Amino acid sequence: MYQTENISEQVQAPGNDEVVMVVRNLSKSFGSNQVLNDFSVTLRRGENVVVLGKSGSGKSVLIKCIIGLLKPDSGCIEVFGQRIPDLNAEALDAIRMKIGFLFQSNALYDSMTVRENLEFPLRRHSILLTQEEVDQLVKDALADVKLEHTIDMMPAELSGGMRKRIALARTLILKPAIILYDEPTTGLDPITAREIIDLIMEVQKKYHAASLIISHDMNCVRMVADRVVMLIGGRNYKEAPYEELIQSDDPGIKAFFE
Amino acid sequence: MFSSRYWKFFFEETGNIARFAGRLFSQWGKPRYEIAEFFRQCYIIGYKSLPLVTLTTFIMGLVLTMQIRPFLVDYGVESQLPAMVGIAIVREIGPVITALIFAGKIGSSIGAELGSMKVTEQIDAMEVSGTNPFKYLVVTRVLAATFMLPLLAILGDVVALYGAYLGVNMSGVTSFELFWAKVFKYLSFSDVLPAFVKSFFFGFAVGIVGCYKGYYSKKGTEGVGQSANSAVVLSSVLIFIIDLIAVQITDVLNLN
């Protein structure tokens, strides 16, 4: 059962520093494996929150619950005042238009060109746009990630870093108010990882979007995080700014920074 | 003969496929209709299978005729060769061989494609992009396979009969008109109809098994390979089982 207490008062219409998303006491298990256990996190407009945890600690499960790809066992997820697990398919689609999701594996459609990949969310979300408007949005999104020349290329023709940037362009094309990043720098070389980190920060400045970033790349955490939520054993272990965490004497926290 | 573990797996898998098919039936009549994707799949599944189906059925018709001829010559009924080959091709060999070729080409490709989409989170990406991936990927592919295989089977029959005509003429002279007259003299509507109808079921079996195996592919590249492989094996077995059931039904209905 989901919690019935009303947290709508915390989740107000998007405005500066307003809470746009609340996750409270979220639990999720697969069989006997309890992945998330009463985990909570709050996200405000324009801030970057990093969820830091070891591989397999349930970070990806958390954001898949937020976007509605997985159903939590218990707890509450509210985005712009709407409880995600309770929404019907139509309402879920509407709320998903406000949430961008950058997949760890990029999830670009292999059988489509870059242009078709970027057009896909525009066309599928039933947004009434002319072809000229669609073309302009695709151009703008590619310009944001500085890959205008790849518009007619297939994903297989792109490097790992380029694929990540195209995936980010596809995430940005609907100008989401919340962006969920699943390990955005994993598997990239340090230079490309730095480019992606710069893009995340540019996006935050340009769109003033709230970002929840799942990562264990400490360089990424250091550069993008306004706040770090440590997820250990499926629970909130510690929540603090990066600078505070790095000075901690707690062995559980120190292990990440050494 | 088989341990209880195999039987458990068999019943679980059968139940899962039945549930998957039930989900398909519950969704295919509801909007939003993926018409464009359906026609795109018809092109990929149907049109792009033409060369392979044409080649294999042509060879099959030719070889079948050459293999049967000596037997008929021995009994002095060589003139019945076009009729015998025609009935064999139209009633059984044409649809079944076309379906098996189709299972090899389309079943494996659907299994591998959906499996790879699953592993690389493309199916999840579709879902968060306002698309019902089941309707977009599964319903369109199963419907395309169901409607394309009967058309390919008809084409396969015609091409195999043309191969048979060449086979007949390799050791004798039979005019084109005489060959077709002899084929159609012994062929009736009750030969063509059951073969045509069972082709829809063959196509459905190939589509549903390929989609099921791909959609529930296990993580990793090995899982994708296994999905493609098991899609071909299972759909081929299902084709024979459907064929067995179809012949019982035509027997009962006196269509033989």
Side-chain angles (χ1 to χ4, degrees), chain A residues 64 67-69 93 96 101 103-105 107-110 112 120-121 123-126 170, chain B residues 32 34 40 113 116-117 119-132 136 219:
Chain A
K64 284 189 174 172
I67 198 80
L69 287 171
D93 275 355
R96 278 171 174 167
F101 191 149
F103 286 86
Q104 186 177 355
S105 60
L108 293 176
Y109 308 122
D110 297 332
M112 300 182 194
F120 194 84
R123 299 206 180 284
R124 304 302 303 185
H125 275 298
S126 308
R170 188 178 64 183
Chain B
R32 142 184 203 176
E34 304 288 358
R40 196 177 79 86
E113 186 188 10
S116 133
M117 289 183 80
V119 167
T120 56
E121 298 179 302
Q122 290 176 56
I123 292 179
D124 287 344
M126 264 185 189
E127 196 167 340
V128 300
S129 294
T131 302
N132 177 341
Y136 189 83
K219 295 275 178 188

